[in-house]
């Protein structure tokens, strides 16, 4: 762990209240070393996670795939829980971490778009058109920003070596 986790003694009142609301997860305890960054980043993160126009299941499919492609076991573990709550099955979650091609067409396009955004930081014309046939302009924008947000988060988690929270299952075996 490159950045140790903070404890309550390290937090000002605002940060303590924020971390209490966020269940004191390890990601937030690490980011609490920089309270202003934490609070400002949460504004955008809350949009991507809670204000997005993408349906919850599809949003979690994209976030889990981003975590997998970025090699962030922490991100994958946290969103394994959220993915289940959004309607993904354990089998689907495990399949996200593979190159399986037996997804429904709609999911396949989302997974391909996620892969391309992580790898190339852009979408080619073919994927743009495929997404635009199924999703509104705002939904496509939210998809792009979800991948960008979770690429950023995965990069931070990997770099800071944030450990998994207790009781979470990371990548499939």
């Amino acid at each position: 762990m490159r950045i140790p986790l903070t404890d309550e003694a390290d937090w000002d009142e605002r940060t303590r209240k924020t971390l209490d609301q966020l269940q004191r997860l390890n990601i937030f305890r690490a980011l609490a070393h920089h309270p202003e960054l934490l609070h400002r980043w949460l504004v955008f993160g809350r949009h991507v996670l809670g204000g997005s126009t993408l349906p919850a299941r599809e949003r979690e499919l994209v976030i889990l795939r981003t975590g997998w492609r970025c090699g962030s076991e922490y991100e994958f573990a946290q969103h394994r829980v959220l993915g289940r709550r959004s309607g993904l099955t354990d089998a689907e979650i495990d399949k996200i971490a593979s190159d399986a091609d037996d997804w429904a067409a709609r999911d396949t396009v989302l997974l391909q778009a996620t892969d391309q955004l992580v790898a190339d930081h852009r979408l080619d014309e073919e994927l743009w058109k495929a997404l635009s046939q199924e999703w509104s302009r705002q939904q496509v924008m939210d998809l792009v920003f979800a991948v960008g947000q979770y690429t950023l988060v995965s990069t931070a988690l990997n770099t800071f070596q944030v450990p998994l929270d207790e009781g979470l299952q990371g990548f499939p075996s």
Side-chain angles (χ1 to χ4, degrees), residues 122-172:
R122 71 184 77 228
L123 290 171
D124 65 25
E125 197 60 32
E126 181 181 343
L127 269 174
W128 180 261
K129 286 179 182 176
L131 284 168
S132 298
Q133 288 175 358
E134 289 287 329
W135 304 99
S136 72
R137 182 170 291 143
Q138 286 184 345
Q139 289 173 316
V140 174
M141 292 173 73
D142 278 333
L143 164 72
V144 171
F145 277 92
V147 174
Q149 157 73 353
Y150 284 95
T151 298
L152 167 76
V153 173
S154 294
T155 300
L157 289 164
N158 291 343
T159 301
F160 304 155
Q161 299 175 344
V162 176
L164 293 181
D165 291 283
E166 191 173 322
L168 291 184
Q169 177 188 351
F171 291 141

Side-chain angles (χ1 to χ4, degrees), residues 5 24-26 29 74 78 81 163-169:
L5 303 178
R24 299 185 181 199
L25 297 176
N26 290 349
R29 291 178 58 206
Y74 185 98
Q78 286 295 341
V81 174
L164 293 181
D165 291 283
E166 191 173 322
L168 291 184
Q169 177 188 351

Side-chain angles (χ1 to χ4, degrees), residues 44 47 59 70 72 87 98 106 112 116 144 159 161 168:
F44 181 65
H47 169 78
R59 182 196 66 232
C70 291
S72 178
S98 74
R106 210 172 135 120
Q112 289 172 344
Q116 194 170 93
V144 171
T159 301
Q161 299 175 344
L168 291 184

Side-chain angles (χ1 to χ4, degrees), residues 63-119:
I63 293 170
L64 282 158
R65 185 65 161 219
T66 302
W68 168 255
R69 288 293 179 203
C70 291
S72 178
E73 189 164 27
Y74 185 98
E75 195 58 48
F76 197 91
Q78 286 295 341
H79 283 272
R80 178 185 285 279
V81 174
L82 296 175
R84 283 186 196 118
R85 287 184 198 154
S86 74
L88 290 169
T89 66
D90 287 331
E92 286 175 317
I93 291 169
D94 288 347
K95 192 167 64 165
I96 289 167
S98 74
D99 290 323
D101 58 4
D102 59 341
W103 292 91
R106 210 172 135 120
D107 291 342
T108 297
V109 171
L110 291 174
L111 293 168
Q112 289 172 344
T114 301
D115 291 350
Q116 194 170 93
L117 286 165
V118 169

Side-chain angles (χ1 to χ4, degrees), residues 51-67:
S52 171
T53 59
L54 285 174
R57 180 192 173 280
E58 287 74 10
R59 182 196 66 232
E60 289 303 318
L61 184 76
V62 166
I63 293 170
L64 282 158
R65 185 65 161 219
T66 302

